[in-house]
């Protein structure tokens, strides 16, 4: 069996494993919704339920199937979900699939740019800190990273918003447009600066410290010591020898950081009023919108599983010695 075939089989096994995981997560959401005191009929009527006739309320309960066993409700939802019908959002008064379709692109844009910037910062600052170990530069970088690790994302977002949007007025503070102006590439780019910067700053410290630690360990390996003994300049030793071996464990960190990335995006989108999926998650939770919240939770679970798979595949491609029988 070739290496490519082995990686393909690994991907198929992981995807097959993801199916029961998603089923368990989605069913658990139905169990929690059934056990909660929330009544979707009361949420639908609001105060109007006082004047609603018992016959109308009973008919609506029968049409929605809210009194049926949880297994029956879940099976009905699953049959519709596989066809793309995820139900209707009570809080946004739209089909759940339409809510996700309208907002997914904005979240992908924010997360992809923010995560890429975090990776670049992690590699550059981590390499500089390891290269100048013990210097004021190393202490400044590591001290700043430890401080940012302890700082809540929403606190960083509010501080950046206060300084750069409210006090200095250098950049817009929220949304994707200002007032009634049409959506344009330049306007979106300007509105992205602050949320992207906060998302990257919240993720970069883990990458910086991880790269620094792995580089310091690489400096003690024989091939790096041998390169220095041959008289190679430090920057070539670091970039051509130490950094190359340090990046292999770094690939596994990418998948591990996805849950934190999703949480960070949720807070960043809320602080900066970014019209993405994460903000819709907050709205669904605040309004007890189980249809939207359940679909977004299952989607987030799928993203984490795919991210872990991608990290394993990249690691296997980068290091042929990795066994693929797991």
């Amino acid at each position: 069996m070739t290496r490519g075939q082995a990686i393909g089989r690994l991907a198929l096994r992981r995807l097959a494993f993801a199916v029961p995981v998603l089923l368990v997560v989605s069913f658990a959401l139905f169990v929690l919704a059934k056990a909660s005191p929330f009544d979707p009929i009361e949420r639908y009527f609001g105060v109007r339920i006082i004047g609603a006739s018992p016959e109308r309320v009973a008919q609506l309960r029968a049409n929605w199937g809210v009194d049926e066993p949880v297994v029956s409700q879940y099976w009905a939802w699953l049959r519709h979900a596989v066809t793309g019908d995820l139900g209707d959002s009570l809080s946004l008064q739209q089909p759940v699939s339409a809510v996700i379709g309208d907002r997914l692109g904005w979240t992908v844009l924010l997360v992809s740019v923010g995560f890429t910037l975090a990776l670049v910062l992690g590699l550059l600052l981590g390499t500089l800190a390891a290269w100048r170990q013990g210097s004021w530069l190393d202490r400044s970088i590591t001290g700043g990273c430890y401080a940012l690790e302890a700082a809540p994302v929403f606190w960083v977002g509010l501080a950046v918003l206060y300084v750069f949007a409210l006090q200095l007025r250098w950049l817009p503070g929220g949304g994707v447009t200002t007032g009634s102006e049409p959506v344009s590439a330049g306007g979106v780019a300007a509105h992205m600066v602050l949320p992207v910067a906060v998302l990257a700053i919240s993720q970069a410290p883990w990458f910086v410290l991880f790269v620094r630690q792995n580089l310091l360990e690489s400096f003690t390996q024989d091939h790096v010591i041998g390169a220095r003994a041959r008289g190679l300049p430090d920057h070539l030793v670091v970039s051509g020898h130490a950094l190359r071996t340090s990046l292999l464990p770094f690939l596994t960190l990418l998948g591990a950081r996805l849950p934190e990335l999703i949480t960070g995006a949720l807070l960043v989108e809320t602080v900066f009023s970014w019209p993405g999926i994460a903000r819709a998650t907050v709205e669904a939770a605040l309004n007890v919108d189980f249809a939207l919240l359940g679909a977004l939770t299952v989607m987030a679970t799928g993203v984490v599983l795919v991210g872990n798979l991608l990290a394993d595949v990249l690691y296997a491609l980068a290091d042929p010695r990795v066994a693929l029988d797991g």
Side-chain angles (χ1 to χ4, degrees):
M1 183 186 301
T2 65
R3 187 70 176 175
Q5 291 174 333
I7 293 176
R9 291 186 61 179
L10 171 66
L12 290 176
R13 286 197 302 269
R14 294 294 181 84
L15 292 176
F17 174 75
V19 173
V21 172
L22 294 176
L23 290 175
V24 170
V25 169
S26 58
F27 182 71
L29 291 171
F30 267 78
V31 173
L32 291 175
K34 187 71 172 178
S36 73
F38 171 75
D39 189 339
I41 302 300
E42 293 182 1
R43 172 69 177 80
Y44 174 78
F45 278 103
V47 296
R48 293 180 293 115
I49 197 172
I50 299 176
S53 64
E55 293 79 11
R56 186 185 177 191
V57 174
Q59 183 63 48
L60 193 58
R61 298 186 73 89
N63 292 340
W64 286 13
V66 295
D67 295 326
E68 295 182 4
V70 64
V71 175
S72 300
Q73 293 184 31
Y74 177 70
W75 178 245
W77 174 84
L78 187 61
R79 284 189 290 106
H80 289 87
V82 295
T83 65
D85 181 8
L86 300 174
D88 295 323
S89 168
L90 294 179
S91 59
L92 299 177
Q93 300 297 316
Q94 285 182 282
V96 171
S97 57
V99 174
I100 294 176
D102 292 341
R103 296 168 178 257
L104 182 60
W106 293 111
T107 293
V108 170
L109 177 63
L110 175 67
V111 169
S112 58
V113 177
F115 198 55
T116 301
L117 181 58
L119 291 178
V120 173
L121 290 174
L123 289 173
L124 291 178
L125 296 180
T127 302
L128 285 174
W131 189 13
R132 302 300 184 189
Q133 181 187 12
S135 67
W136 67 268
L137 180 62
D138 178 28
R139 291 193 295 269
S140 300
I141 292 175
T142 54
C145 287
Y146 285 125
L148 288 174
E149 279 186 335
V153 179
F154 70 89
W155 183 89
V156 176
L158 291 174
V160 168
L161 187 64
Y162 175 77
V163 173
F164 294 99
L166 297 181
Q167 294 298 314
L168 300 178
R169 298 185 182 276
W170 287 355
L171 293 163
V176 293
T177 60
T178 301
S180 58
E181 68 178 17
V183 177
S184 63
V188 171
H191 284 77
M192 279 182 60
V193 172
L194 292 184
V196 163
V198 171
L199 187 59
I201 289 172
S202 69
Q203 299 299 314
W206 280 268
F207 298 137
V208 172
L209 296 175
F210 190 87
V211 170
R212 177 184 180 275
Q213 183 61 34
N214 279 275
L215 271 176
L216 292 179
E217 294 175 359
S218 297
F219 289 161
T220 62
Q221 295 179 1
D222 293 339
H223 69 284
V224 177
I225 296 175
R228 279 178 167 165
R230 292 193 300 270
L232 289 178
D234 270 355
H235 68 277
L236 292 180
V237 174
V238 173
S239 61
H241 294 77
L243 187 59
R244 184 177 301 175
T245 56
S246 300
L247 288 181
L248 291 176
F250 183 71
L251 295 176
T252 62
L253 184 64
L254 302 183
R257 292 302 305 169
L258 272 178
E260 289 292 335
L261 179 65
I262 293 174
T263 303
L266 186 150
L267 296 173
V268 168
E269 287 190 6
T270 302
V271 171
F272 291 96
S273 300
W274 190 260
I277 291 292
R279 187 182 174 196
T281 305
V282 176
E283 295 176 1
L286 293 176
N287 291 281
V288 202
D289 190 345
F290 277 115
L292 180 56
L293 187 61
L296 294 176
T297 302
V298 172
M299 187 174 69
T301 304
V303 170
V304 172
L305 292 173
V306 172
N308 289 329
L309 170 61
L310 182 61
D312 290 340
V313 170
L314 290 175
Y315 196 100
L317 291 173
D319 189 354
R321 298 169 298 176
V322 175
L324 297 176
D325 54 353

